[in-house]
Every structure is written in C-alpha cells, then in structure tokens.
Amino acid sequence: MSNSNVVTCSFSMDRDIYNAYKSIVVKNGENVKGNIVRYMQSVIQYGTPNADTIEAIAEVQDLKKDPNKKTYNSFAEILEEIDE
C-alpha cells in the first residue's frame, strides 16, 4: 500500500562527510533523517537555507515580542547612541 503524500529519498555522498555529520547530529540527541527533515522544514518556513539568517529572523521575532525593547525613530538615532 502506497501513500501518495510520501516520497522516498535516496542519494549517495562521501562516507567521511556523512560520518562527521552523523556524529554531530547524534551528539545533539537526533538522528540523521529527523535532522534533515527538520532542516528542510526550516528552509521552507524561512525561504532560506542559511543558518545565520534563520537565527537572525528568530532573534527579530523574539525582539518584537519584548514590550521593554528599545526602539529608534531613525537610523541616525542609532548612530548617535553608538557614538555616545
């Protein structure tokens, strides 16, 4: 019985790269398949595969939730504060 909403992925890669990746993933309590699926979901959610960009987006989302965050009316205000 086949599920039309499921796809099986198969690919070849360098064994040393796979083993290094797996070692890191396992140390973080995950498995390779779960980690790759989670990564793919992040790429879809944020429209970018760059981990730094994803982290920056999450930081901005957290800042938006903070009622005590400092705000600026212009970029010039930010520069003035940096100069102080």
Side-chain angles (χ1 to χ4, degrees):
M1 183 162 45
S2 139
N3 182 341
S4 63
N5 290 328
V6 175
V7 62
T8 299
C9 299
S10 177
F11 55 90
S12 299
M13 66 181 309
D14 180 86
R15 181 174 300 280
D16 291 337
I17 291 172
Y18 174 82
N19 288 338
Y21 182 80
K22 180 179 178 181
S23 174
I24 293 166
V25 168
V26 168
K27 285 178 187 174
N28 288 304
E30 297 182 82
N31 61 50
V32 171
K33 178 185 170 188
N35 183 269
I36 291 173
V37 169
R38 189 173 53 78
Y39 176 75
M40 288 178 175
Q41 290 168 333
S42 292
V43 170
I44 292 164
Q45 180 180 359
Y46 296 108
T48 178
N50 183 309
D52 291 335
T53 302
I54 292 169
E55 185 178 332
I57 291 169
E59 183 179 346
V60 168
Q61 289 171 339
D62 288 342
L63 283 170
K64 285 181 176 182
K65 294 175 190 172
D66 181 2
N68 300 315
K69 69 181 172 287
K70 185 166 185 173
T71 60
Y72 299 90
N73 293 316
S74 69
F75 187 68
E77 270 187 56
I78 295 171
L79 294 177
E80 285 175 20
E81 184 172 307
I82 292 172
D83 287 339
E84 292 176 359

